Amino acid sequence: MQEYLSALIQLVAGFGFAGMIIVLSIVFGRRAKMRKAMDVPYECGNVPEGDGSPSMFSIKFYLVAILFLVFDLEVVFLYPWALGFKSFVMENGAAFGSMVIFIGVLMVAYLYALGKGVLTWHRNPAPKKY
């Protein structure tokens, strides 16, 4: 129970400090006068343009981002395997075979994404000729 008591004390102290800072800022902080100019978003000193709605991104941006996350996270599984290559993998054929299958599945997914054209970018598509 002693281990949990120190963690509980740390949590209470953290939340207490955060609450105290919020209460002190409410009590002693100055109130700002609301003006129309204060409600305008700051854009490096320039007057904002447009209606403020977010601009649309191409779906390709999101597809590349998801592919990056998937293939980047797979490196997390490859790194410990590579560190223990000499001591464990060379002596155990099943560990090597399972990693070959894992990399093969990743390669199939990568080739599928290439085949679908996810990684090809066309900034200005050629106009259609009729």
Side-chain angles (χ1 to χ4, degrees), residues 15 19 33 42 58 66 69 77 93 110 119 125 129:
F15 283 116
K33 295 178 183 176
Y42 180 71
S58 171
I66 289 172
L69 286 176
F77 296 111
Y110 179 69
L119 300 176
K129 296 181 181 178

Side-chain angles (χ1 to χ4, degrees), residues 4-21:
Y4 296 115
L5 183 64
S6 61
L8 180 65
I9 291 171
Q10 187 74 18
L11 276 171
V12 168
F15 283 116
F17 181 74
M20 180 185 67
I21 293 297

Side-chain angles (χ1 to χ4, degrees), residues 33-103:
K33 295 178 183 176
M34 296 307 290
R35 297 180 303 208
K36 178 90 170 132
M38 298 293 283
D39 291 335
V40 176
Y42 180 71
E43 292 187 8
C44 301
N46 296 329
V47 178
E49 296 177 0
D51 60 354
S53 63
S55 60
M56 302 277 291
F57 284 106
S58 171
I59 190 68
K60 294 231 182 233
F61 172 79
Y62 296 107
L63 288 174
V64 169
I66 289 172
L67 282 175
F68 172 76
L69 286 176
V70 167
F71 288 108
D72 190 45
L73 287 176
E74 302 312 327
V75 173
V76 172
F77 296 111
L78 288 173
Y79 189 70
W81 181 81
L83 286 178
F85 186 75
K86 269 192 173 177
S87 61
F88 178 68
V89 178
M90 291 300 283
E91 297 169 3
N92 189 356
F96 183 74
S98 63
M99 190 52 70
V100 167
I101 292 171
F102 178 71
I103 292 174

